[in-house]
């Protein structure tokens, strides 16, 4: 029991950060982390002994997030890049033409598959191999998604949301 | 004009990403720096991406530095877990509730446990009926109950996943007292279906049947009993699943839950992804 806590707890800050970056809501993010931990504990014996605990936990959390998204989409109207418009106003700069745009708004403009790759690699310090394992992708796909994510972020940061929105649609 | 002799293979997008992430080995770093010095546009792009990376990390750092709320303390979750297993899935909870209040389902009868309370989905119904037929056909087989034995589980799973067109797994049911025997491919209308067979070492066998169908639907567990053969079926992630056996409902439900959870925890390629 203590062994489980000793292995899981160091992962919680990263899981909370990833959850918050996906959901941008404190309560919802911690709900997701709690579900992830419960699921991990419930399946503790099924994790691969030699496997990478961190990659396993992030895989579970991402799958729970995606399942939640699917459910939300079935229930309500589709929320895509339009959600950019509903970003908390405190995040946006007073001067919209400012060359410095909020990096989180740029993150939001990415499709989830690119967002997750970027978050795991650039923020959570996953190696490319670990990210490939966590996302169940070939490493080449990880690299090209990462490259596309950064390119789109750059366009967003440089040109602002209108241009990106036009390009996305 | 002399050109710098390139070090190693030509620079690729992966090198440039690894440069941004500071993950290049020293020899390769040198090659990338030579390349960037000669290509100002690529250099500017790399610098912008490094800055973007730093901004993103700085912007998200606060969350990892917050004190961990007590509801996320592993000790608290473990305590909760051992007190009463939490079932976060409304469908399972509903199924348990139905069973607990003792609503019997007679032979040939059928019950729906669900949050939707809708009429039976034809997709799930057909799958259940096909699964029960498959169970009756193969479960009594002594010599050829399975096509590929459990010793070749990796091959079996890979093969069936490819044929069914979705990532499958043979759930580990040892906690429920069942051991994988193996599996086979079955015809199911226009497409193939996968059948995994398990036994408990005491002569009880059960099958897990899976085939694609019911895209976009997610149903709760549905129980069915035909002449002593019980089945729990559900649809999730574009697959219809049916667990079938001549065992009591509680035991079969435990198996269905275990299988459901293992499929849920399985890494999935995103929609439209390759298989």
């Amino acid at each position: 029991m203590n062994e489980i806590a000793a292995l899981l707890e160091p992962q919680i800050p990263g899981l909370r950060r990833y959850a918050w970056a996906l959901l941008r809501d404190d309560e919802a993010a911690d709900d997701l982390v709690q579900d992830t931990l419960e699921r991990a504990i419930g399946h503790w014996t099924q994790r691969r002994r030699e496997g990478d605990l961190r990659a396993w936990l992030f895989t579970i959390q991402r799958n729970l997030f995606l399942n939640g998204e699917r459910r939300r989409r079935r229930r309500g109207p589709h929320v895509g890049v339009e959600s950019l418009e509903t970003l908390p106003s405190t995040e946006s700069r007073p001067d919209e033409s400012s060359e410095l745009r909020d990096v989180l708004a740029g993150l939001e403009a990415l499709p989830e598959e690119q967002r997750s790759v970027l978050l795991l690699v650039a923020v959570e310090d996953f190696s490319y191999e670990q990210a490939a394992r966590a996302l169940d992708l070939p490493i080449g796909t990880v690299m090209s998604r990462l490259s596309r994510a950064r390119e789109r972020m750059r366009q967003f940061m440089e040109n602002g949301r209108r241009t990106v929105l036009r390009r996305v649609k | 004009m002399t050109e710098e002799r390139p070090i190693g293979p030509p620079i690729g997008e992966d090198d440039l990403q690894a440069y941004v992430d500071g993950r290049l080995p020293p020899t390769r770093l040198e090659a990338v720096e030579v390349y960037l010095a000669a290509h100002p546009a690529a250099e500017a792009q790399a610098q912008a991406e490094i800055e973007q990376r730093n901004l993103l990390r700085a912007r998200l750092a606060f969350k990892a530095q917050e004190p961990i709320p007590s509801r996320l303390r592993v000790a608290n979750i473990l305590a909760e877990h051992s007190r009463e297993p939490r079932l976060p899935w409304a469908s399972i909870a509903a199924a348990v509730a139905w069973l607990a209040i003792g609503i019997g389902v007679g032979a040939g009868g059928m019950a729906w446990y669900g949050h939707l309370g809708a009429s039976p989905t034809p997709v799930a119904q057909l799958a259940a009926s096909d699964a029960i037929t498959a169970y009756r056909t193969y479960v009594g087989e002594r010599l050829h109950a399975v096509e590929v034995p459990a010793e070749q589980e990796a091959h079996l799973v890979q093969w069936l996943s490819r044929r069914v067109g979705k990532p499958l797994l043979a759930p580990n049911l040892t906690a429920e007292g069942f051991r994988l025997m193996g599996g086979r491919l079955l015809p199911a209308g226009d497409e193939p279906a996968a059948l995994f067979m398990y036994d408990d070492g005491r002569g009880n066998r059960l099958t897990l049947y899976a085939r694609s169908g019911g895209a976009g639907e997610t149903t709760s567990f549905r129980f069915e009993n035909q002449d002593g053969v019980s089945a729990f079926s559900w649809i999730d992630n574009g697959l219809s699943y049916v667990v079938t056996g001549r065992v009591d409902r509680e035991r079969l439900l435990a198996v269905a839950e275990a299988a459901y959870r293992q499929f849920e925890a399985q890494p999935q390629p995103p929609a439209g992804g390759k298989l």
Side-chain angles (χ1 to χ4, degrees):
Chain A
M1 291 289 125
N2 283 331
E3 179 225 19
I4 298 184
L7 288 169
L8 282 182
E9 295 213 323
Q11 307 296 340
I12 295 177
L15 288 169
R16 294 185 75 214
R17 179 171 46 201
Y18 177 50
W20 190 84
L22 290 173
L23 289 159
R24 302 280 298 278
D25 177 294
D26 292 328
E27 276 300 299
D30 282 343
D31 284 346
L32 178 60
V33 176
Q34 190 175 347
D35 284 349
T36 302
L37 294 172
E38 281 171 0
R39 182 110 9 155
I41 289 167
H43 294 267
W44 193 249
T45 52
Q46 284 155 25
R47 79 192 197 286
R48 265 168 262 136
R49 291 273 156 208
E50 74 285 8
D52 177 340
L53 176 68
R54 191 166 160 75
W56 183 63
L57 290 170
F58 277 78
T59 302
I60 294 175
Q61 182 157 298
R62 177 166 181 259
N63 285 341
L64 287 172
F65 168 75
L66 291 177
N67 289 342
E69 287 292 283
R70 247 174 255 142
R71 235 165 282 139
R72 270 189 286 283
R73 226 172 296 145
R74 263 199 301 277
R75 266 196 237 115
H78 172 74
V79 180
V81 286
E82 313 86 276
S83 61
L84 271 179
E85 306 299 347
T86 61
L87 286 177
S89 53
T90 47
E91 315 279 57
S92 54
R93 305 260 159 184
D95 178 10
E96 266 304 313
S97 65
S98 158
E99 57 195 316
L100 257 183
R101 297 192 179 269
D102 189 78
V103 70
L104 291 184
L107 187 68
E108 196 93 351
L110 300 179
E112 186 282 331
E113 52 176 43
Q114 292 178 16
R115 210 184 320 157
S116 280
V117 171
L118 187 62
L119 286 169
L120 293 191
V121 169
V123 180
E124 302 304 331
D125 286 326
F126 274 54
S127 71
Y128 303 132
E129 292 79 10
Q130 256 187 322
R133 227 176 301 134
L135 300 168
D136 195 27
L137 292 172
I139 197 154
T141 310
V142 167
M143 298 315 289
S144 61
R145 282 191 188 167
L146 187 59
S147 174
R148 266 180 283 142
R150 284 184 163 142
E151 189 188 341
R152 194 177 274 192
M153 286 277 276
R154 246 190 313 111
Q155 287 170 4
F156 181 86
M157 302 296 276
E158 285 160 14
N159 305 332
R161 67 171 62 165
R162 302 214 163 271
T163 320
V164 173
L165 279 178
R166 237 180 284 124
R167 256 176 230 176
V168 168
K169 262 287 125 179
Chain B
M1 197 160 167
T2 59
E3 203 172 315
E4 196 81 43
R5 205 169 70 85
I7 310 166
I11 302 302
E13 143 188 292
D14 47 355
D15 291 311
L16 297 177
Q17 291 305 317
Y19 177 77
V20 171
D21 290 313
R23 289 190 174 274
L24 283 173
T27 49
R28 200 63 188 150
L29 176 62
E30 204 183 316
V32 171
E33 279 170 347
V34 166
Y35 173 87
L36 290 177
H39 298 82
E43 164 73 21
Q45 188 174 315
Q47 289 312 323
E49 292 183 356
I50 289 172
E51 190 196 344
Q52 174 201 111
R53 182 178 190 273
N54 293 337
L55 270 175
L56 189 61
R57 291 172 77 94
R59 199 68 180 73
L60 292 170
F62 79 99
K63 203 62 196 176
Q65 286 156 10
E66 277 180 5
I68 294 174
S70 60
R71 67 166 166 139
L72 298 184
R73 275 274 174 235
V74 171
N76 295 342
I77 295 175
L78 282 170
E80 190 66 22
H81 209 259
S82 55
R83 207 162 50 95
E84 100 190 86
R86 188 181 155 215
L87 297 168
W89 313 286
S91 54
I92 297 177
V96 172
W98 276 97
L99 293 169
I101 59 175
I103 293 195
V105 180
M110 187 184 291
W112 274 82
Y113 307 117
H115 46 278
L116 298 174
S119 55
T121 314
V123 178
Q125 209 169 4
L126 278 174
S129 157
D130 287 352
I132 291 174
T133 306
Y135 175 89
R136 288 189 195 285
T137 309
Y138 292 110
V139 89
E141 234 351 286
R142 283 218 184 137
L143 293 177
H144 306 292
V146 296
E147 217 170 337
V148 178
E151 292 73 52
Q152 297 171 42
E153 182 180 337
H155 163 72
L156 171 70
V157 168
Q158 199 183 14
W159 170 54
L160 292 177
S161 299
R162 202 182 61 241
R163 292 304 310 271
V164 171
K166 294 259 161 96
L168 296 175
L169 57 80
N172 181 339
L173 300 176
T174 44
E176 288 69 36
F178 287 93
R179 188 182 56 88
L180 181 69
M181 296 169 66
R184 62 168 65 244
L185 189 69
L186 296 172
D190 294 340
E191 6 176 32
L195 188 76
F196 294 108
M197 196 178 290
Y198 294 80
D199 75 358
D200 69 352
R202 293 196 306 260
N204 293 313
R205 285 180 176 180
L206 56 81
T207 56
L208 171 69
Y209 178 95
R211 74 178 186 213
S212 71
E217 267 185 274
T218 297
T219 66
S220 42
F221 283 166
R222 167 177 175 273
F223 179 77
E224 186 168 337
N225 182 299
Q226 284 182 14
D227 302 328
V229 177
S230 303
F232 271 107
S233 53
W234 70 98
I235 298 177
D236 192 27
N237 283 332
L239 278 171
S240 298
Y241 299 95
V242 189
V243 170
T244 311
R246 258 180 217 280
V247 294
D248 61 58
R249 277 173 302 173
E250 285 72 12
R251 195 166 178 208
L252 196 63
L253 177 64
V255 166
E257 280 179 36
Y260 172 83
R261 283 183 228 160
Q262 290 178 43
F263 278 110
E264 283 285 287
Q266 179 190 24
Q268 287 155 11
K274 53 85 223 174
L275 182 72

